[in-house]
Amino acid sequence: MEKLIKPISGYLALVAALACAALSVICFVNAEGADGTNNPLFIILGIVLVIAFFFLLKGLMIINPNHSRVLNFFGKYVGTVKENGLFFVNPLFSTVKVSLRSDNLQGQTLKVNDKMGNPIEIGAVIVWQVGDTYKATYDVTNYASYVRTQSEAAVRHLAGSFPYDNLEDEGADITLREGGDAVNRILEQELTDRLAPAGIVIKEARISHLAYASEIAGAMLQRQQATAIVAARAKIVEGAVGMVEMALQKLSEKDIVELDNEKKAAMVSNLMVVLCGEKAAAPVLNTGTLYQ
């Protein structure tokens, strides 16, 4: 599990490192005596100060905002530093930089089959960030590659779990085309479950592209158009029947004209043609009686 630690400030160690560097230069300069012989004590002291300088310098680390360092001591996890600034840690620690910033994953458009077996194209945009640095560093080989692979698998599974629309599955509660927020929530939950072993937090997931595959797009478009035409025609006929019924009722109530069954049938036929026809009907004037 992730363990947060706070190292000591690195400013004192930086000052000590600079002091060691300056003192080592002084020792090497003063190592040669007045008689031309070298003083081994100054040379040894200078070498020790140089080693101390590099030792202190190795332990300094700078952590920028929304970044972290994972510390490891000879194969043992020590902890994670998430605070920002200059710090000093054991120079023998090995460190791994892990970014805590949010990242976007624009997945490639995938060609998969929906629940009904129709080939479709689907793509998603995923916003993610590292939540557990220990899991991201030690539980998976490469957490960025893990996110890409598991995200693609999640999108494929989502596409195969629901129909594209309800043309073939009229009883479907959720479809990819009309599911909207419900589909996005399902995708977010599946991504959260899949990426939890890598310590990844999913902040948002949205379907960015959804369409029938090119090989059936034309046929599906014609099918959608035919369905829309049938629905429109049904609505027109329903309205026309109501208008004809209202016309006959008004004529009967106001006693404008008495029509037998044959003339009522002719009137209904003419009104239905006028109301349901795609083009305007051409009127024909009858200069005789209704029976001529």
Side-chain angles (χ1 to χ4, degrees), residues 225-236:
Q225 290 175 340
T227 302
I229 290 173
V230 170
R233 289 292 183 185
K235 196 69 176 178
I236 291 173

Side-chain angles (χ1 to χ4, degrees), residues 10 12 22-23 28 30 42 58 79 85 90 118 121 135 160 169 173-174 176 213-214 232 247 256-257 264 285:
L12 182 60
L23 291 173
F28 286 125
N30 296 325
F42 280 100
K58 175 68 169 56
N90 188 336
N118 299 316
E121 295 178 352
K135 292 182 178 180
D169 189 359
D173 296 330
I174 299 177
L176 297 175
S214 57
I256 296 175
V257 62
K264 287 182 179 180
L285 294 179

Side-chain angles (χ1 to χ4, degrees), residues 33-50:
D35 56 355
T37 60
N38 292 328
N39 189 336
L41 182 61
F42 280 100
I43 294 177
I44 294 174
L45 183 58
I47 293 174
V48 171
L49 289 171
V50 170

